[in-house]
């Protein structure tokens, strides 16, 4: 009951956003389904006249269906940029297989006696198709459209990762923030839309004769109208921001900035964390969230806007370890401590630059750093059945580098084996994997531990302020007490949240701080 009450309250407070996302979701689904019908049905009909080509075309459509949707979107972004373009194209490609296959099956399922009778009456091939085969195949054809619609409603949630909107914004924001209510706020309407499309098209499918033909024609009129919902006017402003789902929902992210700086007139879109920098570089958006030690700031000529009101707390990186691991293998405490204080902001930025922009392998960058510092040792020979230390990381370059640094140290200074589970996604996924024992350690940041994982009362956060030592001490103590997890010594760099703009644009507008950004927007 508590979750239901919280869900209803969330929907009430976010009613405007929910309505906008729902219309976007319907528009994306309808636009892709319309393209699927306009291409898939004629292609299926063409294949009924060339049956030898059907296995090849259906096989190609089947291959498209097996490509993971997030991978397909990632492939389309360099070609089409961000926004509805890649999302609609991806959904269209996923809709082809059921529509083409059911069109072929429907026409081929028309009884031969009926076809022969029509030919005996002198029907041409075109007349036979329009007046006999297609009307009789419509129920099967509609089943394919119905399947494609349900698939597209589900896959359309991923459109949020490419700034195309839709109900995925709530879902991915909730995953990033460990907020089940936010996840349900997007998932339940998405499921309801899928059921609505399925029920509507199922009702059409059950019609027969002329009614089915008439309603089928009406469907071709309705889909463009529904697709047009995506084109309804959106909020506009002087600048457009592209933010990751986690930043949009975190107290130290966009909500904190709005409260402290009054950024209420800043329209924003949701982007996958891996895409925000590329979106700024290609001028698809004007403002992004990022991290102060990211190598792409230098590579892409971005400017970090000064947080003159200190909304972002300290984010000092440190290894978070299962207490049981240190009990079983006490030698690891000293090994993990070898990187304490070794990585300044400038050093970490340079390592990130090598991976993000120069495209060097994280392992090679990590080994080169250890050699320069005199910390590298050749891996020790392992005995049969050597215990395995499982290292995890989030899904960006800095975490990959840190995981490789620790893996190399463990192999060189202990008799333990190492397995790495990199790219685990957001904060919540790594944290829950650590708590469950799926991993033994991952690098985390003190500000994230404070505001995302511990979520203390605002008064506690205010009392800690921007004191890095106080924040780290509080986080370490609370993690020991609540979760039996240990924060070891910090690595030395503060990878705090940051607002970023293209340097040239920021200079033209005279914006160097978030206060100046707020004044410009007003």
């Amino acid at each position: 009951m508590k979750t239901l009450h919280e869900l209803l309250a969330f929907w009430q407070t976010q009613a405007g956003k929910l309505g906008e996302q729902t219309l976007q979701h319907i528009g994306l689904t309808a636009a892709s389904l319309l393209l699927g019908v306009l291409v898939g049905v004629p292609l299926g009909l063409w294949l009924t006249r060339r049956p030898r080509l059907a296995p090849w075309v259906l096989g190609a459509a089947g291959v498209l269906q097996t490509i993971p949707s997030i991978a397909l979107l990632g492939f389309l972004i360099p070609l089409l940029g961000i926004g509805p373009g890649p999302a609609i194209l991806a959904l269209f490609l996923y809709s082809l297989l059921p529509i083409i296959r059911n069109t072929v099956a429907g026409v081929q399922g028309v009884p031969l006696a009926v076809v022969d009778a029509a030919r005996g009456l002198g029907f041409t091939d075109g007349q036979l198709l329009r007046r006999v085969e297609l009307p009789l195949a419509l129920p099967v054809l509609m089943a394919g459209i119905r399947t494609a619609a349900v698939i597209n409603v589900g896959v359309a949630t991923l459109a949020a990762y490419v700034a195309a909107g839709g109900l995925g914004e709530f879902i991915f924001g909730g995953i990033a923030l460990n907020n089940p209510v936010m996840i349900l706020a997007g998932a339940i309407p998405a499921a309801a839309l899928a059921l609505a499309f399925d029920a509507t098209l199922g009702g059409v499918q059950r019609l027969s004769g002329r009614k089915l033909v008439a309603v089928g024609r009406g469907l071709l009129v309705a889909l463009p109208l529904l697709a047009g919902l995506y084109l309804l006017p959106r909020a506009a402003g002087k600048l457009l921001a592209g933010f990751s789902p986690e930043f949009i929902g975190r107290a130290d992210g966009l909500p904190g900035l709005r409260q402290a700086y009054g950024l209420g007139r800043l329209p924003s879109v949701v982007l996958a964390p891996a895409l925000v920098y590329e979106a700024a570089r290609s001028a698809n958006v004007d403002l992004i969230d990022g991290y102060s030690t990211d190598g792409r700031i230098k590579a892409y000529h971005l400017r970090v806007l000064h947080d003159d009101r200190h909304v972002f707390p300290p984010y000092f990186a440190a290894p978070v370890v299962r207490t049981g691991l240190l009990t079983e293998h006490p030698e690891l405490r000293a090994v993990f401590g070898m990187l304490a204080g070794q990585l300044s902001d400038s050093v970490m930025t340079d390592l990130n630059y090598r991976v993000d922009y120069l495209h060097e392998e994280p392992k090679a960058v990590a080994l080169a750093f250890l050699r320069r510092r005199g910390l590298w040792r050749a891996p020790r020979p392992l005995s049969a059945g050597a215990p395995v230390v499982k290292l995890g990381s989030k899904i960006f370059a800095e975490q990959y580098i840190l995981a490789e640094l620790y893996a190399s140290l463990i192999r060189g200074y202990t008799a333990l084996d190492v397995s790495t589970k990199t790219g685990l996604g957001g904060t919540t996924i790594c944290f829950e994997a650590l708590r469950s024992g799926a991993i033994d350690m991952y690098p985390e940041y003190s500000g994230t531990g404070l505001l995302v994982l511990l979520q203390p009362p605002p008064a506690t956060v205010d009392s800690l302020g921007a004191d890095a030592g106080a924040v780290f001490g509080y986080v370490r103590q609370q993690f020991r007490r609540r979760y039996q997890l240990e924060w070891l010594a910090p690595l030395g760099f503060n990878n705090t949240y940051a607002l970023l703009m293209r340097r040239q644009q920021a200079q033209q507008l005279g914006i160097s701080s978030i206060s100046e950004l707020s004044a410009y927007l007003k």
Side-chain angles (χ1 to χ4, degrees):
M1 288 298 295
K2 180 182 178 182
T3 300
L4 178 60
H5 177 73
E6 292 174 344
L7 178 61
L8 294 175
F10 183 90
W11 276 336
Q12 184 177 4
T13 58
Q14 298 286 340
K17 189 68 175 176
L18 177 64
E20 180 181 336
Q21 290 181 5
T22 302
L23 293 178
Q24 289 174 339
H25 211 98
I26 294 172
L28 288 169
T29 303
S32 58
L33 193 60
L34 177 63
L35 290 176
V37 171
L38 293 178
V39 174
V41 172
L43 184 55
L45 296 175
W46 180 75
L47 290 176
T48 61
R49 299 309 192 248
R50 291 164 179 79
R52 291 184 179 180
L53 296 178
W56 296 95
V57 175
L58 290 172
V63 169
L64 291 172
Q65 194 81 19
T66 62
I67 299 175
S69 48
I70 194 68
L72 183 58
L73 287 170
F75 175 76
L76 293 174
I77 286 168
L79 302 175
L80 301 175
I82 62 172
I88 291 174
L89 181 54
L91 294 173
F92 156 68
L93 294 176
Y94 282 125
S95 70
L96 284 177
L97 179 62
I99 293 176
I100 296 173
R101 185 170 54 193
N102 279 49
T103 301
V104 173
V107 173
Q108 290 178 343
V110 175
L112 288 176
V114 176
V115 174
D116 291 338
R119 290 194 184 278
L121 293 172
F123 279 25
T124 64
D125 284 347
Q127 291 173 327
L128 175 65
L129 178 63
R130 292 192 305 272
R131 299 171 64 177
V132 178
E133 292 177 319
L134 190 54
L136 292 177
L138 267 180
V140 178
L141 193 156
M142 287 301 306
I145 297 175
R146 180 181 178 184
T147 301
V150 174
I151 292 173
N152 282 8
V153 171
V155 178
T157 56
L158 293 173
Y161 263 163
V162 293
L167 293 162
E169 291 187 10
F170 281 151
I171 296 173
F172 294 121
I175 292 172
L177 298 167
N178 193 23
N179 186 336
V181 171
M182 188 181 292
I183 296 172
L184 290 173
I188 291 176
L193 278 181
L195 292 174
F197 270 94
D198 184 61
T200 301
L201 295 175
V204 174
Q205 183 185 349
R206 286 189 290 272
L207 297 175
S208 60
R210 294 180 179 178
K211 288 185 179 179
L212 179 55
V213 174
V215 174
R217 291 172 179 168
L219 181 64
L220 292 176
V221 176
L223 286 177
L225 296 177
L226 291 175
L229 293 175
Y230 195 88
L231 302 177
L232 292 177
R234 313 285 181 221
K238 294 181 178 181
L239 300 174
L240 177 65
F243 295 138
S244 61
E246 191 166 349
F247 184 81
I248 285 178
R250 285 174 57 152
D252 58 332
L254 186 57
L257 292 177
R258 282 177 170 161
Q259 183 175 359
Y261 292 98
L263 298 180
R265 299 182 180 181
L266 179 62
S268 63
V269 295
V270 177
L271 279 168
L275 300 179
V276 289
Y277 286 93
E278 188 60 40
R281 181 190 190 186
S282 58
N284 292 123
V285 296
D286 304 300
L287 192 74
I288 61 170
D289 66 291
Y291 299 96
S292 59
T293 60
D294 199 296
R296 287 166 291 188
I297 295 174
K298 171 184 175 182
Y300 294 172
H301 307 291
L302 303 176
R303 170 182 284 182
V304 177
L305 301 186
H306 177 53
D307 177 23
D308 46 308
R309 297 183 185 176
H310 307 292
V311 172
F312 301 133
Y315 283 85
F316 280 90
V320 186
V321 190
R322 286 194 308 107
T323 306
L325 178 72
L326 299 176
T327 303
E328 297 167 10
H329 306 288
E331 68 274 21
L332 284 174
R333 186 179 290 272
V335 174
F336 288 140
M338 295 177 74
L339 292 181
Q342 292 285 332
L343 296 162
S344 65
D345 288 4
S346 59
V347 169
M348 195 68 244
T349 300
D350 180 67
L351 298 182
N352 287 332
Y353 174 79
R354 293 180 177 278
V355 174
D356 283 325
Y357 188 66
L358 301 181
H359 303 299
E360 297 179 17
E361 288 293 325
K363 184 174 183 179
V365 171
L367 292 178
F369 170 82
L370 293 176
R371 287 191 174 98
R372 288 197 301 271
R373 294 300 173 95
L375 297 175
W376 184 81
R377 279 188 184 178
R380 290 187 180 183
L382 295 176
S383 60
V388 178
V389 180
K390 296 167 288 187
L391 305 181
S393 82
K394 301 181 187 180
I395 191 166
F396 54 93
E398 181 170 289
Q399 292 266 314
Y400 296 154
I401 296 169
L402 296 177
E404 292 294 348
L405 288 170
Y406 285 117
S408 180
L409 292 174
I410 293 170
R411 292 186 179 109
Y413 288 85
T414 74
L416 302 173
D417 197 3
V418 180
S419 71
T420 56
K421 298 183 179 182
T422 54
L424 289 179
T427 296
T428 302
I429 296 174
C430 282
F431 176 65
E432 293 300 334
L434 186 64
R435 290 184 65 189
S436 68
I439 58 175
D440 298 310
M441 185 277 281
Y442 81 98
E444 189 52 279
Y445 306 91
S446 55
T448 301
L450 176 70
L451 295 169
V452 176
L453 300 175
L454 293 176
Q455 299 181 2
T460 301
V461 177
D462 292 340
S463 69
L464 296 173
D467 187 330
V471 171
F472 191 86
Y474 177 85
V475 170
R476 170 182 273 177
Q477 178 191 48
Q478 293 299 314
F479 266 66
R480 285 174 179 169
R481 184 177 67 85
R482 295 191 196 182
Y483 310 122
Q484 291 73 55
L485 299 175
E486 184 71 23
W487 283 67
L488 302 182
L491 303 180
F493 68 92
N494 178 22
N495 189 12
T496 184
Y497 257 142
L499 279 188
L500 309 172
M501 290 184 70
R502 290 185 299 282
R503 188 179 303 155
Q504 182 178 5
Q505 183 184 23
Q507 290 173 347
Q508 290 174 347
L509 300 178
I511 297 174
S512 60
S513 69
I514 304 179
S515 287
E516 291 173 348
L517 169 68
S518 177
Y520 173 79
L521 293 174
K522 293 177 181 178

